[in-house]
Amino acid sequence: MAHLQFRFCAVSPPHQVITLPALSPTMAKGNIPSWSKKEGEKVSIGEVLCLIETDKSTMEMEVMDEGFLAKILVPAGSTDVAVGQDIAIIVENEEDIAKVKNIRSSDSAAATTENRSREEDEKIFKSLEAKASTIPPRQRLGPSVRRLLIESGIDVAILKGSGPGGAVVKGDVIAAIKSGSQSKREPELKKVQKAHSSETPKTSSEPLLPPSSVSHDTLPTSQIRKVIAKRLLESKNGIPHVYLSAETVLDATLALRKELKVNYGVHVSVNDFVIKAVVSALKEVPEANAHWDENSGLVPGSSIDISIAVATERGLMTPILRNADQMSLSDISSEVKLLAGKARDGKLQPHEFQGGSFSISNLGMFEVDQFCAIINPPQACILAVGRGEPSVLWQEDPHDPTQGKPIAVTKMTLTLSADHRVVDIDIGGRFLDVLGGILRDPRKHLL
Amino acid sequence: MAMACRSKPYWLLRQTLRGASATAATPSSALEVASWSRCVNAIRTYASAQEEQSDIVVIGGGPGGYVAAIKAAQLGMKTTCVEKRGALGGTCLNVGCIPSKALLHSSHMFHEAKHAFPNHGVKVGSVEIDIPAMMAQKDKAVTGLTKGIEGLFKKNKVTYVKGSGKIASPGEVSVDLLEGGTKTLKAKNIIIATGSEVKSLPGITIDEKKIVSSTGALCLPEVPKKLIVIGAGYIGLEMGSVWGRLGSEVTVVEFADTIVPSLDAEIRTNFQRTLEKQKMKFKLKTKVVKVDASGSGVKLTLEPSAGGEQSVLEADVVLVSAGRVPYTKGLGLEDVGVKIDKFGRLEVDHHFQTNIPGIYAIGDCIPGPMLAHKAEEDGVACVELLAGKAGHVNYDTVPGVVYTHPEVASVGKTEEQVKASGISYSVGKFPFMANSRARTIDDADGLVKIIAEKETDKILGVHIVGPNAGELIHEAVLALEYGASSEDIARTCHGHPTLSEAVKEAALATHSKAIHF
C-alpha cells in the first residue's frame, strides 16, 4: 500500500463552474438563447460558449479557460437566469466529464465503483496531485513561506507548489531563491507607463512591447499573460497573416485637431481621429469588418466594434468601442479614455473586452515608424499605427505634371495585418486607400 | 440462472406463464429466460423474510467495521453490520484500547496519590487499591461506549445482526445468530472487518488465569506480586505499567534487542529509562524456552536469544503479548477463494477490494499498522470509494501512541529511516525539563524531537516522550498532512504556559535555535 500518496476528501474532480456574468453594471438577469458548444465538447479560449441576451443586447460569451464542457446547467432557451447563477461546468480533463455529470445530476450516493476502472482512479489521483490547488495561494501559505516571500521579494504567482494539492511550501521558495529567479513586482514598468500616459496627449492607447528601460529580469507570468501568450501564438500560427502598408499625410488631421482644441475647446487625440477614420473606412469597405469561422467561412460583421489595444500591468487588454459607427469624434475620445482607464485598473466588464470586429494598435508615442501587429482572433484585421514623423514629399503641380516642389509634411504609416482567408489584398488595398484618404482630408469625410 | 432456481415460487411462476401463453412452452431465447428470472427474483424477495438485501454488509463491528457501517449509512447506502461478540466495538472497546486506558488512568491515579500528592502538599492517609471498584469503573466505560455505538447504529439506521457471519458466496453472507437459527444476508458488497487476535506462542497455553493474554490481564482479580510480560511491544509495556504501578514486580522478556522496535531509537532509549525509573525490569535478547504452570505460580525457563545459559524466572502471572495476528477464521474464505498472504492478512488493492469482486477488507486483517484509528480510516475510505467518491488513506501520517506515563507518540519517519533514505536532515530537540508547564506540574520527563529535511525544512517525523504526548502529536500530524516546515510550526503562536510549547521550541531548534533551552 506504499504507493498511496496522500489523503484528501475531494468530492469531485477539478472543475470550473461558469456563472452568468454581468454584461452591464445594472444587469440582474439574462436569457441564454443558445449554446454554441455541446456537453462533452472541447472548448478553447476565445471560442463562443453561449449567447447571453439582455433587454439591451445579445452578447457572445467566450471561453476563458481551455477544457471540456462537462455539463450545461441552464439549457438553451432559459430565461430569467440570475447574474452569478451557475450555468455550466468545465473540466480540464476529458475523463472527468462523466464524473461531474454524475455528481451534479444525482443526489443518490448509491453509485458503486463499477463505472470506474482502476486505471481511471489512478489517473484521477495523479491528476489531482499534479494540479495546483484552486484555492488562491494566499490561503495555503504557511508562515515560513510568507516570511520568505516578503524577504526575498519573489512573486508567489511564479512558484510551482510541491506541497499537497499544489500548495507552495517553504522548500519551493528556497529553491526559487537558489535558482536566482528573482522577480519583484516591476515598479520600473509602472513608472515608464505612467510617464508615457501623461506625456503624450496624442494617443491614449499603449502597446504591449515592454519599454526598453526595464531590466533583464524575467517578467512574472501571471495567469493573464499566460492566456495572452497562448492566444498570440495561436493567432500567429493559425491565421494566414497578410500585411499591407500605406503612408498617409497627417497635416490636415493635425490642423483640424488643433482647430477643435483652440476654437471649440474639444480635446481629441490623433488616435481618436484614426479610430473615426477607420470606422468610416469600414462603412465603405465592410468586407474588412468580417471574420473567419471554421464552419461558416467568411462571416460579415453585424456591427462595427473597434478593439483598442491598451497595455496594462497585467498584460495587453483590448477594450471595445461598441457600435463605433454611431459615435461622434468626441464620443470616441471620451469612451477611449474611460475604457483605457478601466483596463489599467482591471475593472473591465466581460462585455467590454469580449468580441470586437476590428482592432487598432497604436505605437505612435514611440520612435516606431511602422510595425505589423498580430490579429486578435476571431477578428480578421488589426491596424498598426506608427508615429507621425516629419518628412518631405514631392507635391506635383496639378497643372503641369513635370513640375512640382518638395513640401514638408507629417507622414504616418498604417499597416494592416489581415486574415488572408477573409480579406483579399484588393479589399485590404481598398480599405487602406479609403482610410488614408480620410486622414488626408478629414474635413471632407468626418464632419 | 433461471434454470438453477428450484424453489416453489419459481415453479409456480413457470406454470402461470406457461398457462398464460400457450405457444411459449419453454423459454426459446435467453431474453425470455432473463425476464423469467427477473420475475422469479422479485417473487423470491417478497416471499422470503429470511433474506435481506443491503448495499453493504460489514462483517465485524470493531472500530473498522462500525465506522465503515455508519459512514456507509450516512452516504445513503443500506447497511448491515454483523457482530458475534454480543457487543459492538470489537477488540478495541471490549478487550483492548478502552479497558486498558481506563486501567492505565486508574493505576496512574493510585500511583500519583501515593507518590506525587505529598510533593504538592496534598496529604492523604493510606492509599489503598480496590480492584473490583477499579474494574467496575473500567466496565462502566466499556459498556457505556458499546451501548453508545448501538445507539449510533439506530440513529444512522444501520441494521445490527448479532451473530457469526460467513461468506457463502460473493454477495451472500450467512449468519449463525446468537439467539439461534440462521439468517442469510444479501449484499451488493461485503466488507470484512474481523480484525485480529492474540498471537499464541508455541508451547505456551493461555488459560487467562495464570498465563494471560491482554484480555485476561485486563481483569485480573488481584494485583499479582510478580508479573512477567513476554514481548516488549506497546501492549505488554502498557499492561506491565498498570500492574507495576499497582504494586507488581514487573519483568519484561523480549526476544529482540530493543523494546517497541518501530520507535525512533533516541526516543526509545528515553522511554525505556522512564519505565526503568518506574521499577520495570527488562530482559532483552532473551527467549522463553519452557513454561511450567504446574505449581501455584508459573516458572519460565529463559535463554539468551542466540542461545546460551538458561535461567529460571518465577512469577504469579505471565502476560503473553508477543503480537497480534489477523483473524479470519470461520469466514469461509477458502471456499470463496479469497487470497490470504503468508502472515494471514487479506490481500487488497487500493480500493480495499480482495481478489474476489464485491468482497472488501479493512483494518487489522489487511496489511498496515494494526491500530484502531488506522482501521477507522480504512473503513471510511473503503466506503467512500464504494460510494463513487474519492477515498484515500495516507499511511505516512498515521500516528502511534503508547499510553504509559509519560506517554510516547510519534508520526512520520524515525531518524534511522531518514538516515537510511539518504536525505540530509536536521534534528531539533527540546526537553520537557525546559518547558514551563511541565515544570509547574512537576511532570517533566521526556522530550520532543523533530526531524526535517535540511534543504527544504520540510518536517519528516515528530517523536514525543512526555506528558500528554498522545494529544500533542496531532499538531505534528496536521503539519505533515500540509507538508509544513519546522519554521511553520515555530512561527505559529502556541499558548503559554502549555506543554505544546515544547513542540514549538523543538521546531525552532530544528531550523534555527530554541529560545528556552
Side-chain angles (χ1 to χ4, degrees):
Chain A
M1 296 269 234
H3 64 277
L4 288 172
Q5 288 299 301
F6 55 84
R7 179 179 184 217
F8 50 83
C9 298
V11 170
S12 54
H15 61 277
Q16 190 193 4
V17 179
I18 311 290
T19 58
L20 190 76
L23 302 188
S24 74
T26 55
M27 174 180 164
K29 297 201 278 250
N31 308 328
I32 299 185
S34 66
W35 285 89
S36 305
K37 289 276 171 187
K38 292 193 278 288
E39 277 186 7
E41 242 189 290
K42 183 167 163 55
V43 294
S44 313
I45 296 173
E47 284 187 309
V48 177
L49 191 61
C50 64
L51 287 181
I52 297 175
E53 191 183 59
T54 64
D55 45 12
K56 293 203 182 94
S57 62
T58 302
M59 270 293 308
E60 286 171 340
M61 178 164 182
E62 280 187 9
V63 177
M64 291 304 282
D65 269 304
E66 240 194 27
F68 294 86
L69 180 58
K71 189 140 182 79
I72 292 174
L73 299 169
V74 177
S78 300
T79 57
D80 287 342
V81 183
V83 164
Q85 186 174 326
D86 296 350
I87 56 174
I89 301 178
I90 290 182
V91 292
E92 292 197 46
N93 302 318
E94 203 166 0
E95 56 265 19
D96 294 339
I97 294 174
K99 276 159 221 73
V100 173
K101 280 178 107 98
N102 288 339
I103 287 159
R104 284 284 174 149
S105 57
S106 73
D107 39 22
S108 151
T112 65
T113 48
E114 283 155 12
N115 304 332
R116 298 208 317 262
S117 66
R118 305 279 162 269
E119 302 77 56
E120 278 176 338
D121 280 336
E122 293 279 12
K123 264 198 234 152
I124 296 171
F125 296 140
K126 278 203 168 56
S127 72
L128 277 166
E129 253 182 300
K131 221 68 60 141
S133 162
T134 54
I135 301 171
R138 179 82 195 125
Q139 294 174 20
R140 295 288 301 276
L141 300 176
S144 66
V145 180
R146 299 198 290 264
R147 171 194 70 93
L148 274 174
L149 287 174
I150 293 170
E151 285 178 10
S152 65
I154 290 183
D155 179 4
V156 71
I158 67 163
L159 295 175
K160 245 178 94 84
S162 67
V168 172
V169 292
K170 186 176 174 183
D172 299 325
V173 192
I174 292 175
I177 294 173
K178 240 194 173 170
S179 69
S181 62
Q182 300 267 12
S183 189
K184 313 187 192 305
R185 291 238 162 245
E186 350 56 273
E188 293 172 302
L189 188 55
K190 233 194 242 183
K191 268 191 272 165
V192 171
Q193 282 197 341
K194 282 218 161 67
H196 279 111
S197 51
S198 55
E199 243 165 49
T200 42
K202 279 207 286 185
T203 172
S204 51
S205 71
E206 286 170 21
L208 176 56
L209 302 177
S212 49
S213 51
V214 168
S215 68
H216 289 291
D217 294 343
T218 326
L219 291 172
T221 0
S222 69
Q223 196 53 33
I224 291 185
R225 267 193 203 280
K226 280 195 193 136
V227 170
I228 292 171
K230 199 168 179 199
R231 290 202 63 169
L232 284 171
L233 183 65
E234 272 169 18
S235 172
K236 206 70 211 262
N237 278 348
I239 298 178
H241 281 60
V242 66
Y243 306 98
L244 300 97
S245 275
E247 271 180 10
T248 187
V249 172
L250 264 188
D251 298 81
T253 301
L254 291 172
L256 178 56
R257 178 172 165 261
K258 192 165 173 189
E259 198 184 302
L260 289 173
K261 185 162 102 176
V262 167
N263 295 356
Y264 302 97
V266 174
H267 291 265
V268 293
S269 68
V270 171
N271 199 47
D272 297 330
F273 271 98
V274 170
I275 294 172
K276 187 97 178 82
V278 164
V279 168
S280 302
L282 285 175
K283 282 204 266 208
E284 270 198 57
V285 188
E287 295 91 327
N289 189 50
H291 72 269
W292 182 259
D293 178 64
E294 279 302 320
N295 301 318
S296 341
L298 196 156
V299 178
S302 49
S303 55
I304 298 180
D305 304 318
I306 307 291
S307 303
I308 312 290
V310 178
T312 70
E313 261 175 35
R314 262 163 251 95
L316 181 70
M317 303 241 78
T318 50
I320 301 167
L321 291 171
R322 299 232 172 252
N323 300 306
D325 51 326
Q326 291 156 23
M327 292 170 133
S328 71
L329 189 57
S330 34
D331 285 341
I332 289 175
S333 185
S334 42
E335 187 71 10
V336 166
K337 284 200 192 74
L338 178 72
L339 287 171
K342 270 196 190 176
R344 287 194 203 99
D345 292 338
K347 291 206 172 87
L348 283 178
Q349 296 282 324
H351 77 281
E352 286 169 328
F353 62 85
Q354 282 171 350
S357 60
F358 190 99
S359 295
I360 301 178
S361 182
N362 194 325
L363 271 181
M365 79 293 299
F366 295 112
E367 293 276 311
V368 174
D369 305 325
Q370 183 264 342
F371 71 106
C372 303
I374 300 179
I375 296 170
N376 273 325
Q379 295 175 12
C381 299
I382 179 166
L383 184 74
V385 182
R387 70 183 178 129
E389 46 178 328
S391 185
V392 174
L393 279 189
W394 185 257
Q395 188 180 65
E396 265 184 12
D397 189 329
H399 305 296
D400 187 353
T402 60
Q403 298 300 318
K405 61 177 197 290
I407 50 167
V409 294
T410 303
K411 73 168 183 186
M412 183 170 79
T413 309
L414 306 162
T415 309
L416 180 72
S417 307
D419 182 341
H420 210 329
R421 300 171 295 184
V422 175
V423 174
D424 293 338
I425 48 177
D426 67 275
I427 294 173
R430 263 195 300 137
F431 173 78
L432 280 179
D433 202 28
V434 171
L435 180 60
I438 296 171
L439 286 169
R440 243 179 297 253
D441 194 354
R443 252 172 251 271
K444 181 168 162 201
H445 295 95
L446 300 185
L447 295 181
Chain B
M1 272 187 294
M3 295 305 137
C5 304
R6 288 281 178 260
S7 75
K8 229 184 184 168
Y10 169 74
W11 287 112
L12 275 173
L13 174 64
R14 280 203 75 177
Q15 298 298 11
T16 318
L17 285 174
R18 271 209 181 128
S21 150
T23 50
T26 40
S28 54
S29 71
L31 203 56
E32 283 187 24
V33 170
S35 59
W36 277 11
S37 76
R38 269 203 287 279
C39 297
V40 165
N41 275 332
I43 287 179
R44 284 184 74 178
T45 312
Y46 291 127
S48 163
Q50 288 310 104
E51 290 162 11
E52 280 168 20
Q53 176 73 34
S54 307
D55 292 316
I56 294 186
V57 166
V58 183
I59 307 181
Y66 82 72
V67 166
I70 292 173
K71 187 72 187 179
Q74 287 175 344
L75 288 173
M77 294 184 259
K78 192 162 184 298
T79 314
T80 302
C81 182
V82 182
E83 172 56 58
K84 70 178 185 186
R85 189 188 292 272
L88 292 168
T91 302
C92 171
L93 255 68
N94 293 283
V95 288
C97 324
I98 302 306
S100 60
K101 275 65 210 168
L103 289 184
L104 278 162
H105 188 70
S106 304
S107 57
H108 177 63
M109 290 172 83
F110 172 75
H111 193 266
E112 290 284 284
K114 259 203 120 152
H115 304 280
F117 277 26
N119 301 339
H120 293 262
V122 178
K123 283 179 154 176
V124 291
S126 71
V127 183
E128 279 152 26
I129 306 170
D130 179 354
I131 296 285
M134 207 178 276
M135 294 301 167
Q137 197 276 341
K138 170 201 70 149
D139 293 332
K140 188 170 106 182
V142 170
T143 318
L145 286 169
T146 59
K147 285 264 175 303
I149 299 185
E150 280 184 43
L152 288 174
F153 270 16
K154 282 206 185 65
K155 175 178 161 188
N156 290 285
K157 303 211 186 5
V158 174
T159 309
Y160 175 22
V161 175
K162 296 188 195 182
S164 174
K166 175 181 170 150
I167 302 179
S169 65
E172 200 172 299
V173 175
S174 78
V175 184
D176 283 328
L177 299 167
L178 289 181
E179 65 194 5
T182 54
K183 196 177 187 138
T184 309
L185 302 172
K186 283 189 128 27
K188 291 208 193 100
N189 296 295
I190 299 172
I191 302 180
I192 300 172
T194 47
S196 58
E197 58 176 353
V198 175
K199 176 153 77 179
S200 56
L201 295 174
I204 304 182
T205 322
I206 294 173
D207 61 7
E208 300 292 10
K209 287 201 170 55
K210 281 193 294 188
I211 304 178
V212 299
S213 69
S214 51
T215 309
L218 286 167
C219 49
L220 294 176
E222 56 184 29
V223 181
K225 268 223 236 16
K226 288 203 179 141
L227 169 70
I228 296 180
V229 176
I230 304 180
Y234 63 88
I235 295 177
L237 295 178
E238 282 181 12
M239 294 317 306
S241 234
V242 168
W243 297 110
R245 292 176 202 160
L246 294 175
S248 294
E249 195 186 305
V250 180
T251 308
V252 179
V253 175
E254 167 59 50
F255 185 86
D257 61 349
T258 56
I259 64 171
V260 196
S262 59
L263 281 181
D264 176 275
E266 189 177 353
I267 293 295
R268 188 191 315 135
T269 314
N270 196 292
F271 175 42
Q272 192 171 332
R273 223 178 302 132
T274 64
L275 292 174
E276 283 165 348
K277 263 206 272 184
Q278 293 162 36
K279 314 246 183 356
M280 202 180 277
K281 295 210 245 331
F282 290 92
K283 283 198 182 308
L284 303 176
K285 285 199 277 209
T286 310
K287 62 184 176 193
V288 176
V289 291
K290 199 163 80 159
V291 177
D292 179 3
S294 54
S296 58
V298 186
K299 280 201 187 69
L300 290 179
T301 310
L302 306 174
E303 195 183 289
S305 300
E309 210 183 290
Q310 290 189 349
S311 55
V312 173
L313 205 59
E314 285 185 30
D316 300 284
V317 174
V318 170
L319 164 61
V320 179
S321 55
R324 294 183 65 87
V325 288
Y327 180 78
T328 53
K329 294 196 198 101
L331 278 172
L333 296 181
E334 322 74 44
D335 302 326
V336 183
V338 179
K339 276 216 202 105
I340 296 188
D341 72 10
K342 60 180 180 192
F343 299 110
R345 305 174 300 194
L346 290 159
E347 293 178 359
V348 293
D349 63 12
H350 69 280
H351 269 231
F352 300 97
Q353 185 163 249
T354 62
N355 60 310
I356 306 290
I359 300 184
Y360 298 78
I362 56 171
D364 277 7
C365 62
I366 67 170
M370 286 170 128
L371 297 168
H373 41 280
K374 175 262 189 191
E376 290 185 20
E377 295 287 303
D378 281 351
V380 169
C382 177
V383 159
E384 281 180 329
L385 286 163
L386 283 173
K389 299 180 194 299
H392 235 151
V393 181
N394 186 357
Y395 291 99
D396 292 331
T397 57
V398 173
V401 184
V402 186
Y403 296 86
T404 49
H405 190 94
E407 286 179 5
V408 184
S410 73
V411 68
K413 308 249 178 277
T414 64
E415 189 171 352
E416 293 72 51
Q417 284 171 325
V418 173
K419 205 180 276 178
S421 68
I423 303 174
S424 60
Y425 63 95
S426 30
V427 176
K429 288 181 256 194
F430 189 81
F432 280 100
M433 277 306 260
N435 174 266
S436 326
R437 189 71 186 280
R439 294 293 286 269
T440 63
I441 61 174
D442 191 25
D443 192 352
D445 259 338
L447 75 155
V448 177
K449 176 175 174 181
I450 297 182
I451 307 166
E453 249 185 68
K454 208 183 193 73
E455 271 286 329
T456 62
D457 195 29
K458 179 174 161 175
I459 300 175
L460 300 170
V462 177
H463 311 275
I464 309 177
V465 180
N468 282 20
E471 305 287 351
L472 300 178
I473 198 66
H474 292 100
E475 174 179 4
V477 180
L478 192 67
L480 276 174
E481 282 283 353
Y482 276 92
S485 58
S486 71
E487 189 184 340
D488 286 322
I489 294 188
R491 284 185 184 275
T492 301
C493 188
H494 288 63
H496 177 82
T498 58
L499 299 166
S500 293
E501 288 178 281
V503 178
K504 179 187 207 271
E505 288 280 322
L508 251 183
T510 308
H511 69 279
S512 169
K513 288 206 228 327
I515 293 180
H516 291 85
F517 185 56

